[in-house]
Amino acid sequence: MAAATRTAPRAREIFTTLEYGPAPESHACALAWLDTQDRHLGHYVNGKWLKPERRNSVPCQDPITGENLASCLQAQAEDVAAAVEAARTALENWSTLPGARRAQHLTRLAKMIQKHQRLLWTLESLVTGRAVREVRDRDVPLAQQLLQYHAVQAHTQEEALAGWEPMGVIGLIVPPTFSFLEMMWRICPALAVGCTVVVLVPPASPAPLLLAQLAGELGSFPGILNMISGPTSLGPVLASQPGVQKVAFCGAVEEGRTLRRTLAGQGLELSLALGAESLLLLTEAADVDSAVEGVVDATWSDRSQGGLRLLIQESVWDETMTRLQARMGRLRVGRGLDGAVDMGARGAAARDLAQRYVHEAQSQGAQVFQAGDVPSDSPFYPPTLISDLPPASPCAQTEVPWPLVVASPFRTAKEALAVANGTPRGGSASVWSERLGQALELGYRLRMGIVWINAHGLRDPAVPTGGCKESGSSWHGGPDGLYEYLRPSGTPARQPSLSENLNYDTFGLAVPSTLPAGPETGPSSAPPYGLFVGGRFQAPGARSSRPIQDSHGNLHGYVAEGGAKDIRGAVEAAHQAAPGWVGQSPGARAALLGALAAALERRESALAARLERHGVELKVAKAEVELSVRRLRAWGARAQAQGHTLQVAELRGPVLRLREPLGVLAIVCPDEWPLLAFVSLLAPALAHGNTVVLVPSGTCPIPALEVCQDVATLLPAGLVNVVTGDRDHLTRCLALHQDVQALWYFGSVQGSQFVEWASAGNLKPVWVNRGLPRAWDQDAEGAGPELGLRAAQTKALWLPMGD
Amino acid sequence: MAAHNLGTELDLSWISKVQVNHPAVLRRAQQVQARRTVKKEWQAAWLLKAVTFIDLTTLSGDDTSSNVQRLCYKAKYPIREDLLKALNMHDKDITTAAVCVYPARVCDAVRALKAAGCNIPVASVATGFPAGQTHLKTRLEEIRLAVEDGATEIDVVINRSLVLTGQWEGSDFIKTSTGKETVNATFPVAIVMLRAIRDFFWKTGNKIGFKPAGGIRSAKDALAWLSLIKEELGDEWLKPELFRIGASTLLSDIERQIYHHVTGRYAAYHDLPMS
């Protein structure tokens, strides 16, 4: 047949230039879906759209054309209350279902997404401006995998997670720059274990609303997933609703800090996932071309939300920069719905942030290189490489925003570690080296939540993803993601314990003075006087003491009155002991805990006598000593079964789930069970490789000091430090200490609230009892898996293999 | 052909310094195929360009002068004239880059091309193709005879026993494989080769050509290969002097896609002339 022309004459021209052309993906279905809502989006609560009257609305715009796509409601407090109410009602049924039923429901949702995936990816790309390729080829399949993985977990829950129960209603707060996938990482495990969820999505984010609608249209269990569209500032309102047991927040570091302070004392769990910067460490033994692709994956492929800090070994600096710049020249930036662009646009806020950072970096002496095929008339920001930024300049300290890469050189692997670990951030990093030993050394020693060896940005539902330090210590994916939404069975539900009039400025600030309190009585000789710091007893800085009375009100003895300087000294000593203790094998740690247990056994009668003086019946006192001995031995044995290997689909090679020590762990022991609680907390902390600073029981600190006499001879100096004194004052010092990596507090309601508030400083993970007693003599509460979970942090180490 | 590679002193430290991370290259290979796409007239133009890179090949034991003649005619007229007219490309003299045959068929090819009145080069595989496991003497003689018969390009099978023992040879063009292996032109292998070509260019200023051969059958594959070259080496490599695709069935699929682009219909088998 004759060829009927329907072609423009441009082919001729393209034949010569061989340029790329537009490859637009139709977004008609996204617009059609918006039309079903009359271009007016509300909240999605209890399986229905909720569009209350008299609310402000914000426009949802195409970030590239500025075209108004729809208007979105801004929630008010009563909308949040309605959503939480729906979630609470749904919880009654959902949390008591057999895991298999929940699994079935999650699988159905995965299939629902599969059926409507085109709508999902075009809507997400249209509104966020991200490259459709990334949403279509990665996010949407991963969302389905997440549901399927967690369906399997729900299926085995009764067996694998016996002894744990769902927390209840979970409030999730996500930032405006997030992708719907980040939400999926959190709601999947929550739903799987039997929690119900209320998500506070930023206005003008239709994709999560669509997901909620898809979930709602499954018919059954409408209230398990509810979406409220509103600003992050509604976070505290969400948190304060009765029934909400936990708030999970992801977003900027400073917002997380503020939320931590606001929610102090409200009796709910808070998990934070903060910041988006990543790190790439390129050694001279790297496949440089592949590492350059790693940089592209990390920043310039619309995969992550943050920028990248790039550390390059000096000997390959020039070569790397040449290759990186050549590669940048081939990047294409354009409308996200174009199938052939690497990077889309992220709206004016993201562009302005990048712009500001670049200007400041330039004014501080940095070189800026920009390249790529970028439309000029536009909201786009080009791929940007910054180098020669002086290490001490303000820009070098702040988080690198998308789509920037800040490159700096290092000389040796040791220096690279110092630079990489020398930031408050602890999110993700990749190490590029073809030398196995070096790669593993760097991978193990980077203080990060995730480390990829010779890859960047791989994700899988089975692998825990999270961070440490100021990146927030929350996890999603893998077993760790499930525990985020579980609590040991029988834990009392949230009780509001907020004391509005707690003055954070003065809590524990002053130490009441203590005076001589009468003659010392009693048969047994007192342990050496002093604070146990750095392996020996030493006098307190304040040179004063506090009297300890026995159960009859007689003076039992004096203990040292520790203060801020003593805490400083104890934390320093603990830091010095840390490398040696971390380097010990779990077996060696277990042996030392065993030796301490044996020493306690020998000391049994003395310890029992001490306890007896404090009103404990001799038989019970002996049982307490015996149980303490058992605790030490038990944790020694458990420490040897740490971490494991994960198998990941589509990855040749293993992912190691490492359980690493938190660092210096401060423990404020409860007043009750003066020996048993002290040992029950000390043992898991040591077994997991932490070094500790402890404040023993306030009413009866002497048994703990008694134990220190054996610690002094058996354990390395500085591993265990015990500071006696005014508990509120010592708690204040520890909670505000920026170089204490975690804090466990068992004391008053006010103390718990203060600890939560003060932890916002370095965002250390805290565990507080909110004034509630704990059954230390029961294995579930005194030696349960919860202690092991809290005593260490997870790190995922990806080890792809190939010849 | 581009200017010959005059060679450099053999410096094995270049090779020993090369680091290739296999899984990372595999990931790149996956990405490069997914991150670029061309549509509509861009696709048509790219496909026509791809035609000009093809070494139209027949390497069968039963090749005779008649099928070689047919191949040569197809090389001269790779796309139906009316389709080219519709694209306003009929005056661009679009032919394949070369025809590629066994040494014994070089004469047939040269004769057929002369009869068709065109100067498409004839390439010959030589030197004990495809194993290369013959004596150096016969290998050299084979090349000489092929050149005498009129071949202007020779695809030499290197002595792989030398390579595996670290004794390398130089060339103007490097080819992924003979096309007769169980695994032929794959993206991961190509990425490593292209990066080597780029490094050699950066070090010496010499541009070495690249020819993937075997297994490239669809128009979609061809577009992915063009985009790979564009991404890894740049536009200056996108010319027949530096880039060839060794293929036999690819051309018909390209013609089929052009037909669809022009007419909006899918072609029947008999709508397009065979090669």
Side-chain angles (χ1 to χ4, degrees):
Chain A
M1 64 163 276
T5 310
R6 48 159 216 164
T7 315
R10 290 219 46 200
R12 225 180 142 80
E13 199 183 302
I14 303 162
F15 182 80
T16 321
T17 60
L18 267 195
E19 63 188 7
Y20 290 114
E25 177 108 2
S26 162
H27 59 279
C29 60
L31 295 180
W33 179 76
L34 290 171
D35 284 339
T36 64
Q37 296 302 315
D38 300 324
R39 302 282 180 132
H40 178 65
L41 297 173
H43 316 303
Y44 198 83
V45 172
N46 207 17
K48 291 186 291 282
W49 286 98
L50 180 67
K51 296 179 183 173
E53 304 274 308
R54 290 189 298 278
R55 298 283 184 275
N56 293 334
S57 65
V58 286
C60 168
Q61 292 174 324
D62 181 326
I64 286 119
T65 61
E67 178 197 350
N68 261 352
L69 297 169
S71 67
C72 299
L73 284 190
Q74 289 263 48
Q76 286 180 5
E78 56 256 51
D79 306 344
V80 178
V84 172
E85 192 47 46
R88 280 179 76 176
T89 312
L91 180 72
E92 284 165 28
N93 186 8
W94 181 249
S95 62
T96 51
L97 282 180
R101 280 298 310 282
R102 285 199 295 272
Q104 209 180 4
H105 192 74
L106 293 181
T107 312
R108 282 181 68 205
L109 180 54
K111 286 189 180 142
M112 193 73 164
I113 291 180
Q114 188 185 21
K115 289 171 198 159
H116 298 284
Q117 47 182 313
R118 171 175 291 276
L119 171 57
L120 185 56
W121 83 57
T122 43
L123 184 67
E124 169 80 357
S125 175
L126 172 68
V127 175
T128 62
R130 290 171 64 223
V132 67
R133 157 197 47 82
E134 196 62 28
V135 183
R136 180 191 61 209
D137 298 348
R138 192 178 128 105
D139 291 5
V140 172
L142 194 48
Q144 293 171 59
Q145 287 162 21
L146 276 165
L147 285 162
Q148 276 147 1
Y149 171 84
H150 286 99
V152 173
Q153 304 309 309
H155 219 282
T156 58
Q157 185 181 358
E158 284 92 351
E159 200 181 322
L161 297 168
W164 297 84
E165 62 181 20
M167 279 185 176
V169 176
I170 308 295
L172 173 59
I173 305 168
V174 286
T177 53
F178 85 124
S179 92
F180 76 91
L181 189 63
E182 291 304 317
M183 184 188 80
M184 293 300 284
W185 275 104
R186 289 159 179 88
I187 61 177
C188 290
L191 293 178
V193 301
C195 295
T196 57
V197 185
V198 175
V199 190
L200 180 62
V201 293
S205 313
L209 291 167
L210 168 61
L211 267 170
Q213 189 193 353
L214 292 180
E217 286 179 359
L218 292 175
S220 37
F221 317 113
I224 58 170
L225 180 60
N226 306 283
M227 301 276 164
I228 292 290
S229 150
T232 314
S233 56
L234 276 178
V237 175
L238 173 58
S240 66
Q241 299 298 318
V244 174
Q245 298 293 333
K246 170 165 186 150
V247 167
F249 173 86
C250 46
V253 179
E254 285 315 312
E255 284 175 45
R257 239 191 265 285
T258 310
L259 192 65
R260 172 67 282 179
R261 291 195 179 111
T262 314
L263 298 189
Q266 299 214 2
L268 42 68
E269 296 288 322
L270 173 66
S271 80
L272 302 168
L274 308 175
E277 183 190 286
S278 194
L279 178 97
L280 191 147
L281 209 158
L282 197 161
T283 70
E284 63 187 0
D287 170 355
V288 176
D289 283 310
S290 291
V292 165
E293 292 306 325
V295 176
V296 175
D297 286 344
T299 331
W300 298 320
S301 63
D302 269 1
R303 184 164 294 181
S304 89
Q305 293 141 36
L308 181 75
R309 213 165 273 281
L310 172 61
L311 301 180
I312 304 170
Q313 194 151 20
E314 220 168 22
S315 49
V316 288
W317 173 269
D318 290 339
E319 186 194 346
T320 305
M321 290 307 256
T322 312
R323 281 166 208 264
L324 196 52
Q325 291 177 356
R327 180 69 179 89
M328 286 172 78
R330 299 198 208 291
L331 290 168
R332 300 188 74 235
V333 181
R335 184 172 171 75
L337 281 166
D338 188 310
V341 301
D342 294 292
M343 250 169 66
R346 302 274 180 94
R351 187 198 52 207
D352 295 345
L353 187 66
Q355 184 86 52
R356 236 182 356 260
Y357 188 96
V358 166
H359 282 163
E360 276 174 35
Q362 267 171 328
S363 71
Q364 287 158 19
Q367 298 292 315
V368 174
F369 177 84
Q370 295 182 321
D373 179 0
V374 187
S376 55
D377 55 327
S378 56
F380 300 100
Y381 200 82
T384 305
L385 175 65
I386 296 175
S387 53
D388 297 338
L389 188 63
S393 63
C395 261
Q397 314 300 318
T398 44
E399 187 174 327
V400 179
W402 171 92
L404 273 46
V405 172
V406 175
S408 44
F410 67 87
R411 292 169 301 171
T412 61
K414 207 173 163 191
E415 189 177 66
L417 276 176
V419 175
N421 288 340
T423 77
R425 289 168 285 275
S428 60
S430 63
V431 171
W432 295 78
S433 170
E434 293 302 305
R435 278 165 49 196
L436 178 67
Q438 183 186 53
L440 287 176
E441 169 81 16
L442 289 169
Y444 268 86
R445 292 187 53 195
L446 279 170
R447 302 248 318 140
M448 296 282 170
I450 320 163
V451 177
W452 298 281
I453 304 291
N454 292 321
H456 199 108
L458 306 180
R459 302 282 292 268
D460 189 274
V463 179
T465 302
C468 59
K469 299 203 266 187
E470 289 191 8
S471 296
S473 27
S474 71
W475 290 88
H476 38 275
D480 303 75
L482 299 172
Y483 287 117
E484 289 278 323
Y485 306 101
L486 290 167
R487 61 184 178 201
S489 300
T491 308
R494 169 185 179 188
Q495 288 172 350
S497 57
L498 179 70
S499 60
E500 297 279 2
N501 50 10
L502 179 66
N503 187 334
Y504 294 121
D505 293 335
T506 57
F507 174 85
L509 191 61
V511 181
S513 29
T514 49
L515 302 167
E520 288 190 45
T521 57
S524 57
S525 60
Y529 167 81
L531 307 165
F532 185 69
V533 172
R536 60 193 181 86
F537 286 92
Q538 41 185 276
R543 296 290 189 269
S544 60
S545 308
R546 61 170 38 224
I548 300 298
Q549 269 135 13
D550 65 16
S551 53
H552 303 296
N554 299 325
L555 181 68
H556 186 180
Y558 288 98
V559 295
E561 181 75 71
K565 285 192 177 153
D566 303 304
I567 291 293
R568 187 192 69 186
V571 172
E572 261 172 33
H575 270 291
Q576 274 166 14
W581 188 240
V582 172
Q584 297 268 17
S585 71
R589 283 184 213 146
L592 284 174
L593 288 178
L596 187 60
L600 244 63
E601 255 174 346
R602 285 194 294 276
R603 212 176 266 280
E604 186 187 357
S605 57
L607 284 165
R610 295 275 180 216
L611 294 169
E612 210 184 355
R613 275 204 70 177
H614 282 268
V616 183
E617 214 180 302
L618 183 63
K619 213 173 99 194
V620 179
K622 283 196 163 165
E624 181 172 350
V625 179
E626 205 177 298
L627 194 50
S628 304
V629 169
R630 280 222 303 275
R631 290 277 152 82
L632 282 168
R633 294 213 167 105
W635 281 109
R638 284 188 207 173
Q640 303 194 40
Q642 282 292 300
H644 56 261
T645 310
L646 303 165
Q647 290 295 323
V648 168
E650 291 173 36
L651 179 84
R652 291 187 62 229
V655 180
L656 307 184
R657 174 181 174 263
L658 307 175
R659 293 288 286 162
E660 296 194 331
L662 300 159
V664 174
L665 171 58
I667 304 174
V668 181
C669 301
D671 279 340
E672 70 272 15
W673 297 102
L675 176 68
L676 181 61
F678 173 80
V679 171
S680 297
L681 290 164
L682 175 68
L686 290 184
H688 287 86
N690 302 289
T691 55
V692 286
V693 178
L694 293 116
V695 177
S697 162
T699 49
C700 182
I702 294 177
L705 293 170
E706 209 51 83
V707 174
C708 287
Q709 294 181 76
D710 291 319
V711 171
T713 54
L714 292 169
L715 299 185
L719 184 56
V720 177
N721 305 276
V722 176
V723 182
T724 52
D726 182 75
R727 285 164 57 84
D728 284 352
H729 181 60
L730 297 176
T731 299
R732 180 183 183 90
C733 297
L734 287 167
L736 288 171
H737 200 301
Q738 292 283 102
D739 216 8
V740 167
Q741 273 78 40
L743 175 57
W744 296 351
Y745 178 85
F746 295 89
S748 64
V749 172
Q750 290 82 5
S752 299
Q753 183 175 342
F754 180 83
V755 164
E756 288 189 320
W757 176 84
S759 71
N762 66 348
L763 292 166
K764 57 173 85 69
V766 293
W767 181 21
V768 297
N769 70 333
R770 307 192 173 101
L772 298 173
R774 206 175 161 86
W776 294 100
D777 55 334
Q778 302 297 310
D779 274 355
E781 294 201 349
E786 188 185 14
L787 282 103
L789 268 184
R790 295 205 187 249
Q793 59 193 3
T794 301
K795 174 169 168 179
L797 181 58
W798 291 71
L799 299 168
M801 53 185 206
D803 56 4
Chain B
M1 281 274 125
H4 285 294
N5 174 11
L6 299 175
T8 56
E9 285 295 309
L10 182 64
D11 182 356
L12 286 175
S13 73
W14 288 10
I15 293 171
S16 63
K17 263 194 248 161
V18 170
Q19 300 283 8
V20 176
N21 186 274
H22 188 216
V25 169
L26 291 180
R27 277 195 303 277
R28 170 69 176 148
Q30 264 182 1
Q31 284 170 0
V32 84
Q33 295 172 76
R35 289 195 177 172
R36 294 288 181 266
T37 165
V38 280
K39 292 185 172 175
K40 306 212 165 113
E41 52 264 54
W42 282 268
Q43 190 181 81
W46 278 52
L47 285 175
L48 288 177
K49 195 73 179 183
V51 168
T52 68
F53 298 140
I54 294 177
D55 278 359
L56 196 60
T57 304
T58 181
L59 292 173
S60 302
D62 57 358
D63 282 341
T64 63
S65 75
S66 73
N67 78 318
V68 167
Q69 193 180 355
R70 205 164 59 210
L71 185 85
C72 290
Y73 193 80
K74 187 71 183 173
K76 165 76 174 152
Y77 302 105
I79 305 289
R80 242 170 58 174
E81 183 73 8
D82 57 331
L83 299 177
L84 288 176
K85 267 203 179 117
L87 289 164
N88 192 22
M89 294 291 289
H90 52 287
D91 55 349
K92 283 279 192 179
D93 194 23
I94 290 174
T95 67
T96 67
V99 293
C100 181
V101 293
Y102 271 125
R105 301 271 73 82
V106 170
C107 271
D108 297 336
V110 170
R111 200 178 314 126
L113 287 169
K114 192 177 268 175
C118 67
N119 50 1
I120 299 174
V122 175
S124 171
V125 297
T127 69
F129 186 91
Q133 299 280 20
T134 54
H135 290 293
L136 180 62
K137 197 167 169 186
T138 55
R139 280 147 53 89
L140 291 173
E141 192 58 21
E142 214 183 330
I143 294 173
R144 236 170 256 127
L145 292 171
V147 171
E148 260 173 40
D149 285 351
T152 52
E153 299 173 4
I154 306 289
D155 286 15
V156 177
V157 184
I158 58 168
N159 186 331
R160 275 168 283 180
S161 62
L162 290 179
V163 169
L164 290 172
T165 53
Q167 303 173 61
W168 293 85
E169 299 176 12
S171 68
D172 296 317
F173 241 85
I174 55 177
K175 197 170 161 180
T176 52
S177 59
T178 59
K180 299 271 181 195
E181 311 294 325
T182 43
V183 179
N184 289 290
T186 64
F187 267 51
V189 165
I191 285 169
V192 174
M193 293 174 78
L194 293 174
R195 287 175 179 172
I197 289 175
R198 189 188 51 198
D199 287 356
F200 188 75
F201 172 64
W202 279 352
K203 279 183 173 130
T204 67
N206 285 331
K207 286 182 183 167
I208 301 299
F210 176 71
K211 175 175 172 182
I216 305 171
R217 294 194 182 89
S218 71
K220 195 171 166 228
D221 289 347
L223 292 174
W225 279 97
L226 258 65
S227 144
L228 176 70
I229 303 294
K230 193 175 166 76
E231 294 293 314
E232 289 285 333
L233 290 175
D235 289 346
E236 63 261 55
W237 256 267
L238 284 171
K239 50 189 177 189
E241 293 81 9
L242 289 169
F243 177 56
R244 297 287 178 85
I245 300 172
S248 42
T249 54
L250 169 64
L251 181 54
S252 54
D253 192 54
I254 291 182
E255 197 176 8
R256 191 169 292 275
Q257 296 305 322
I258 300 274
Y259 181 98
H260 177 250
H261 174 74
V262 171
T263 66
R265 296 165 188 245
Y266 294 104
Y269 181 71
H270 57 256
D271 278 333
L272 301 166
M274 66 188 288
S275 59

